[in-house]
């Protein structure tokens, strides 16, 4: 099978790399296996990419280790920043190509995909700026000692990313890892390998030394597991399901205790108080749950509405959701494309069936849209109770669950009644209510009068079972660095000896 293929799309025609990206070259997998790449809007196979197995992970780690020791460790921070700035420029240059790849492979609408790619460039540029601004400290203890700390890279980093934001997760991972001086072996999700391979081509064009960043297409149970268990990977960063997050921790414990950061699922509350700007709150609630087809870890899937506006809210929200344009990802006006895969489609339809059976009120949607492609109608359930599965488990699709609350105490109890803690939204015009509730919610991010408002400068990550560590912002630098303390004795012997 070849290493590249010309792909023609409604927006662009381009050359798609298909190989594993190791040592700045696209190569075949050792075992010669491939992965079918599927267009979720048509259910057709677009192409095949070369599949990485354990042998390829070993090969990539060896290259990443040698590059770390011989090249990257001695590359100045200033140069690391320059390369990342260059990469961000190239991503912007090829924004339409990259956005089109996301629409093709993931199914996200082209307008949202363009937003994703712009955010990718923004994120990489943000970490480019950090590269030469990471310093240790002088720590004064007493007159006979001179102490300082150094902020050092960790070494070879393994990164495993999901399919919901294929290129954005790539950026969140490689930005801070490369800025801080690590080398990387990154595995994409088997459902969406294409955009990171194209971006790898840009990494080479930007002038990064061979072996600094290696990108593998592969399955979780084989290539992913091999990364998690590897004895020569010093740190692993993972985004995906809570179940696999646990496996990653176990693999670290059973191998070399590589440092672990996890960004996992959520069942985030989005709260609407009676005094909120209702029209705006409904727009944010709609965007909060249906953005990216509901395939968003921080999606505001549990919507809590104060009782005095409950009926009105549901009626207006229904009207809004029914107007969401669901269809061809390449159509400019499309808001919601297909779910990423048959597996996810079936999983979500299973949750919708449970919702219908458990006594929740189906307000709208609840079915498949069309007969080809993994499209699902925007679905809203109301009168949801805490013990219903649709209120407890992450559905990861266009499904909202609405419940009623009375006052702040009632709300806080309901909102925190979950094993997750990734994000939350609060809609109110009262500053005291906003700040009080934000303080009481157990979530890594609380959005006031907005939702899904991520920004590369703002730390993002989970309380409770939503994860370990924070991505984005300055906080992410800590994931990829370790502190060395150097203490110099200026005079004196061990006291008393
Ligand atoms: P997943 O957790 O299986 O996949 C995420 C990544 O982990 C992929 O790259 C996959 O190849 C890899 N992986 C899978 N098993 C692995 C293993 N044993 N060792 C190492 N890597 C492994 O998620 P999946 O099955 O695609 O989606 C299932 C559910 O997970 C979704 O319905 C959603 O609830 C949640 N999810 C959450 C995401 C988030 O952004 N937090 C992203 C994707 C999924
Ligand atoms: Mg695909």
């Amino acid at each position: 099978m070849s290493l590249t293929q010309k792909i023609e799309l409604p927006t662009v025609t381009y050359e798609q790399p298909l190989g594993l990206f190791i040592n700045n070259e696209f190569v075949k997998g050792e075992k010669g296996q491939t992965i079918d790449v599927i267009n979720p809007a048509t259910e057709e196979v677009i192409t095949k990419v070369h599949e990485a197995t354990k042998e390829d992970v070993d090969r990539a780690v060896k290259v990443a280790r040698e590059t770390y020791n011989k090249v990257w460790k001695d590359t100045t921070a200033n140069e690391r920043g320059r390369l990342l700035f260059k990469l961000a420029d190239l991503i912007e240059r090829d924004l339409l190509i990259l956005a089109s790849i996301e629409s093709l492979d993931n199914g996200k609408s082209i307008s949202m995909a363009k937003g994703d790619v712009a955010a990718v460039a923004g994120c990489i540029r943000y970490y480019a700026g950090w590269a030469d601004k990471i310093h240790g400290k002088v720590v004064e203890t007493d007159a006979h000692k001179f102490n300082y700390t150094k902020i050092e890279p960790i070494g070879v980093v393994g990164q495993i990313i999901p399919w919901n934001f294929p290129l954005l997760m790539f950026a969140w991972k490689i930005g801070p890892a490369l800025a801080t001086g690590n080398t990387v072996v990154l595995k994409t999700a088997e459902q969406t390998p294409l955009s990171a391979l194209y971006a790898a081509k840009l990494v080479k064009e930007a002038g990064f030394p061979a072996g600094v960043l290696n990108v593998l297409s592969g399955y979780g149970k084989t290539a992913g597991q091999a990364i998690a268990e590897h004895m020569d990977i010093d740190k692993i960063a993972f985004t995906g399901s809570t179940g696999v997050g646990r496996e990653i921790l176990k693999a670290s414990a059973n191998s070399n205790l590589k440092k672990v950061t996890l960004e996992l699922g959520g069942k985030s509350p989005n709260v609407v108080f009676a005094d909120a700007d209702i029209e705006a709150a409904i727009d944010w609630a709609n965007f909060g749950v249906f953005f990216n087809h509901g395939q968003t870890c921080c999606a505001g899937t549990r919507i809590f509405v104060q009782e005095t506006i409950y009926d009105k809210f549901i009626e207006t929200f229904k009207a809004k959701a029914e107007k969401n344009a669901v269809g061809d990802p390449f159509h400019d006006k499309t808001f919601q494309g297909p779910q990423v895969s048959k597996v996810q489609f079936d999983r979500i339809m299973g949750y919708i069936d449970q919702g219908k059976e458990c006594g929740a009120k189906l307000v709208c949607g609840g079915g498949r849209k069309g007969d080809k492609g993994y499209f699902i109608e925007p679905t809203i359930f109301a009168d949801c109770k805490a013990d219903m599965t649709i209120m407890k488990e992450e559905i990861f699709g266009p499904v909202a669950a609405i419940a009623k609350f009375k006052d702040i105490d009632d709300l806080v109890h309901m909102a925190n009644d979950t094993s997750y803690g990734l994000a939350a939204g609060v809609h109110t015009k009262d500053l005291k209510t906003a700040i009080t509730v934000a303080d009481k919610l157990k979530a890594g991010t609380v959005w006031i009068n907005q939702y899904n408002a991520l920004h590369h400068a703002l730390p993002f990550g989970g309380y409770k079972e939503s994860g370990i560590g924070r991505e984005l912002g300055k906080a992410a630098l800590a994931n990829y660095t370790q502190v060395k303390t150097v203490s110099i004795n200026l005079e004196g012997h061990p006291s008393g000896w």
Side-chain angles (χ1 to χ4, degrees), residues 36-40 46 104-107 190-193 340:
D36 282 350
V37 183
I38 290 164
N39 176 350
I46 309 157
L104 172 73
D105 197 2
N106 165 283
E190 54 270 35
Q191 298 85 350
T192 53
V340 77

Side-chain angles (χ1 to χ4, degrees), residues 225-247:
Q225 188 73 19
I227 290 172
E229 288 173 345
H230 209 287
M231 291 302 288
D232 202 29
I233 289 182
D234 304 308
K235 189 242 152 43
I236 186 161
F238 169 79
T239 299
S241 61
T242 307
V244 173
R246 287 183 208 279
E247 295 306 315

Side-chain angles (χ1 to χ4, degrees), residues 31 33-35 51-58 160 187-188 190 216-230 244 248 251:
K31 292 223 166 125
Q33 291 166 193
T34 57
I35 301 175
E51 179 193 342
T53 55
K54 183 177 179 307
E55 293 74 12
D56 303 300
V57 170
D58 288 342
I160 299 177
K187 188 192 86 62
T188 52
E190 54 270 35
L216 306 178
S217 311
Y219 290 102
K221 285 247 178 293
T222 50
Q225 188 73 19
I227 290 172
E229 288 173 345
H230 209 287
V244 173
I248 302 274

